[in-house]
């Protein structure tokens, strides 16, 4: 749009040129044509003059703007250069910090690996020394009384297994003895459980009925520990039956008869009641502890018995994260429609399952995880058997990682030697159970002192139906102090 000043200047130039032509025509007497030519010439001159002057003025203005733009561009370039310098300095610091941290991490990892190797060498050496001491130890006298087993104190701290003073040095080696497979026999003899000596099935069935009616079903606890720290994490409830003479009958002796006679459902109900009572006592001191409760396949398939168990578990649903129901591997492989439905009802209420009595490593972890299985107990001998690598779909050393991907923990059971613990650590097994750590022990009554000041023979504890103790007739001699833990347990205590 043309500015007003430009229009005014153009009008003024036309007026000046016209005035000049009129003056020449009127005063000088020049003809009209000549006067018009002179006026047009003057107008052209004025237009040229105005155009040149305006161009010079615009050039000076544009030059100033260009100078300002140049100064702004130079300032911007200087700021960009400063930012680039600062960014390069930051990148250099980050690279230097990363390299320093990487060097430190590598050095720490190297030291940890070196310490791990030293610990394994030390554990292997201790295990070898233990084997030598065990082989050189004198055999006990034939008439000597097996050492009594102290009852388990639930009020005492159970984070670590107890330690005793160091053993006395071994005497000179006697004549060659049989190798250590007698560990199982030795631990069984040290255990107060008696076999059904001289009883036939009819007598054993009558004893079992009387024990159920008179509430003589006892619970023994065997701890499951973490490896290699050996801290108690779970307990397994082991069932024992007392006869009229207060002699204990192991579960493997009466389970088959109880299942055949239909008494296993009543036993499972009583065992669940005791497990819940024990779990409530344990959780007073530690909320992370758990109890494994064995359930028979016939109980799972019997609608009447299972309904009673389900009602009881529903009433104690708050304990579901800590109460683990344990079934045999054969039970899971032979589930019928009723058993599958009952198992799903338990899983829906938040209860977790465990599998024991594993006979082979043909395991489908995805299917088991979908059914609610969170633990699998495999005998240590089965895991360490080299023949399993060829008969199973996965190498035993990779079983723990495979199960862990589906949220299932592997527990090695029946561990009886330190050498087995060293080998299981290479398999990345996180939990262990066996007579090496502790045998199944009876419960200490709730009213008993937890200080341990009284002699073991003064704690006559047999667990009753309501959690209170009844007097036992067999505690007449004092029991020796608890067995010393050696190998990795002592090493973990010192670390």
């Amino acid at each position: 749009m043309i500015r007003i000043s430009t229009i005014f200047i153009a009008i003024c130039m036309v007026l000046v040129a016209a005035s000049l032509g009129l003056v020449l025509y009127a005063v000088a007497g020049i003809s009209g044509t000549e006067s018009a030519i002179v006026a047009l010439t003057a107008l052209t001159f004025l237009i040229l003059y105005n155009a040149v002057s305006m161009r010079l003025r615009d050039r000076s203005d544009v030059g100033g703007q260009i100078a300002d733009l140049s100064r702004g561009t130079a300032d911007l370039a200087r700021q960009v250069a400063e930012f680039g310098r600062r960014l390069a300095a930051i990148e250099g610091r980050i690279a230097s910090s990363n390299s320093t941290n990487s060097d430190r991490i590598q050095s720490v990892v190297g030291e940890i690996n070196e310490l791990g190797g030293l610990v394994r060498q030390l554990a292997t050496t201790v295990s070898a020394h233990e084997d030598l001491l065990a082989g050189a130890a004198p055999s006990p006298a034939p008439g000597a009384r097996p050492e009594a087993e102290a009852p388990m104190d639930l009020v005492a701290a159970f984070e670590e297994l107890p330690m005793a003073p160091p053993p006395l040095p071994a005497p000179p080696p006697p004549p060659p003895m049989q190798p250590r497979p007698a560990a199982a026999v030795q631990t069984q003899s040290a255990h107060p459980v008696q076999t059904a000596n001289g009883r036939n099935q009819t007598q054993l069935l009558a004893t079992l009925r009387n024990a159920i009616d008179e509430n003589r079903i006892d619970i023994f606890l065997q701890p499951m520990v973490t490896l290699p720290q050996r801290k108690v994490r779970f307990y397994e409830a082991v069932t024992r039956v007392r006869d009229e003479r207060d002699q204990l009958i192991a579960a493997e002796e009466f389970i088959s008869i109880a299942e055949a006679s239909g008494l296993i459902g009543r036993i499972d109900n009583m065992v669940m009641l005791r497990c819940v009572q024990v779990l409530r006592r344990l959780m007073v001191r530690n909320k992370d502890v758990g109890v494994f409760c064995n359930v028979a396949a016939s109980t799972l398939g019997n609608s009447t018995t299972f309904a009673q168990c389900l009602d009881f578990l529903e009433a104690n649903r708050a304990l579901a994260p800590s109460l683990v129901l344990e079934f045999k591997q054969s039970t899971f492989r032979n589930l019928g429609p009723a058993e599958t439905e009952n198992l799903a009802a338990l899983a829906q209420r938040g209860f977790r399952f465990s599998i024991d009595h594993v006979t082979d490593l043909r395991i489908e972890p995805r299917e088991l995880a979908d059914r609610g299985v969170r633990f699998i107990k495999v005998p240590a001998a089965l895991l360490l058997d080299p023949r399993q690598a060829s008969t199973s779909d996965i190498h035993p050393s990779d079983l723990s990682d495979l199960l862990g991907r589906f949220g299932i923990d592997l527990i090695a059971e029946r561990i009886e030697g330190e050498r087995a613990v060293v080998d299981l650590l290479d398999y990345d097994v996180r939990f262990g159970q066996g007579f090496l750590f502790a045998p199944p022990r009876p419960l200490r009554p709730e009213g008993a002192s937890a200080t341990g000041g009284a002699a073991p023979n003064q704690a006559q504890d047999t667990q009753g139906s309501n959690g209170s103790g009844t007097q036992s007739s067999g505690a007449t001699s004092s029991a020796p102090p608890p067995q010393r833990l050696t190998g990795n347990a002592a090493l973990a205590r010192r670390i």
Side-chain angles (χ1 to χ4, degrees), residues 174-216:
M177 300 172 59
Q178 290 185 347
R180 270 189 83 181
V185 179
Q186 180 181 357
T187 53
Q188 186 175 0
S189 64
H191 199 279
V193 176
Q194 303 281 341
T195 59
N197 295 329
R199 292 192 183 95
N200 55 28
Q201 292 188 358
T202 304
Q203 294 174 344
L204 187 57
L205 179 59
T207 301
L208 188 59
R209 290 183 185 275
N210 293 334
I212 295 175
D213 295 336
E214 298 175 8
N215 200 11
R216 285 190 269 107

Side-chain angles (χ1 to χ4, degrees), residues 330-410:
S330 58
T331 302
F332 265 81
R333 288 183 172 177
N334 301 312
L335 289 177
E339 290 85 352
T340 303
E341 183 179 356
N342 294 337
L343 203 66
L346 292 173
Q348 186 178 6
R349 286 161 176 79
F351 289 94
R352 301 179 296 172
F353 307 131
S354 173
I355 295 180
D356 66 347
H357 290 79
V358 175
T359 57
D360 57 70
L361 299 182
R362 293 191 297 271
I363 298 172
E364 295 294 337
R366 185 185 302 275
E367 179 183 355
L368 296 179
D370 293 339
R371 293 183 182 273
V373 176
R374 294 296 177 265
F375 301 94
I376 294 181
K377 297 168 63 175
V378 181
L382 184 63
L383 280 175
L384 301 177
D385 187 0
R387 293 173 296 181
Q388 292 298 322
S390 58
T391 59
S392 60
D393 297 334
I394 184 173
H395 195 276
S397 61
D398 300 327
L399 183 60
S400 179
D401 293 337
L402 176 63
L403 296 176
R405 297 172 195 165
F406 297 92
I408 301 176
D409 287 324
L410 177 62

Side-chain angles (χ1 to χ4, degrees), residues 241-478:
V241 172
R242 281 185 292 113
D243 60 7
E244 296 81 0
R245 299 187 300 272
D246 281 341
Q247 293 181 346
L248 295 177
I249 305 175
E252 54 269 13
E253 299 178 10
F254 66 81
I255 284 295
S256 58
I257 299 177
E259 290 180 346
S261 60
L263 298 176
I264 191 64
R266 298 177 59 186
I267 296 177
D268 282 348
N269 280 330
M270 299 175 68
V271 171
M272 283 186 186
L273 173 63
R274 301 291 177 79
C275 288
V276 169
Q277 293 174 348
V278 170
L279 184 57
R280 291 188 184 278
R281 292 173 59 185
L282 290 173
M283 294 182 69
V284 173
R285 294 294 300 270
N286 187 355
K287 298 295 183 182
D288 296 331
V289 73
V291 173
F292 283 58
C293 180
N294 288 275
V295 181
S298 55
T299 301
L300 189 63
N302 191 319
S303 58
T304 304
T305 305
F306 180 77
Q308 298 175 358
C309 294
L310 187 63
D311 292 340
F312 176 73
L313 294 176
E314 177 71 25
N316 295 275
R317 193 171 181 176
L319 301 177
S322 301
L323 182 61
V324 182
L325 304 179
E326 192 165 72
F327 302 91
K328 295 181 179 180
Q329 185 184 36
S330 58
T331 302
F332 265 81
R333 288 183 172 177
N334 301 312
L335 289 177
E339 290 85 352
T340 303
E341 183 179 356
N342 294 337
L343 203 66
L346 292 173
Q348 186 178 6
R349 286 161 176 79
F351 289 94
R352 301 179 296 172
F353 307 131
S354 173
I355 295 180
D356 66 347
H357 290 79
V358 175
T359 57
D360 57 70
L361 299 182
R362 293 191 297 271
I363 298 172
E364 295 294 337
R366 185 185 302 275
E367 179 183 355
L368 296 179
D370 293 339
R371 293 183 182 273
V373 176
R374 294 296 177 265
F375 301 94
I376 294 181
K377 297 168 63 175
V378 181
L382 184 63
L383 280 175
L384 301 177
D385 187 0
R387 293 173 296 181
Q388 292 298 322
S390 58
T391 59
S392 60
D393 297 334
I394 184 173
H395 195 276
S397 61
D398 300 327
L399 183 60
S400 179
D401 293 337
L402 176 63
L403 296 176
R405 297 172 195 165
F406 297 92
I408 301 176
D409 287 324
L410 177 62
I411 302 175
E413 62 176 352
R414 305 176 193 174
I415 301 177
E416 299 180 358
E418 292 289 348
R419 192 175 302 278
V421 176
V422 176
D423 296 336
L424 290 172
L425 290 177
D426 294 334
Y427 287 9
D428 197 22
V429 177
R430 298 177 53 196
F431 299 100
Q433 178 185 5
F435 286 98
L436 174 66
F437 310 116
R441 293 179 179 175
L443 302 181
R444 184 184 297 274
E446 291 187 46
S449 172
T451 59
N457 62 338
Q458 297 175 358
Q460 302 171 355
D461 31 30
T462 302
Q463 180 71 11
S465 61
N466 57 356
S468 62
T470 59
Q471 189 173 2
S472 174
S473 61
T476 57
S477 63
S478 62

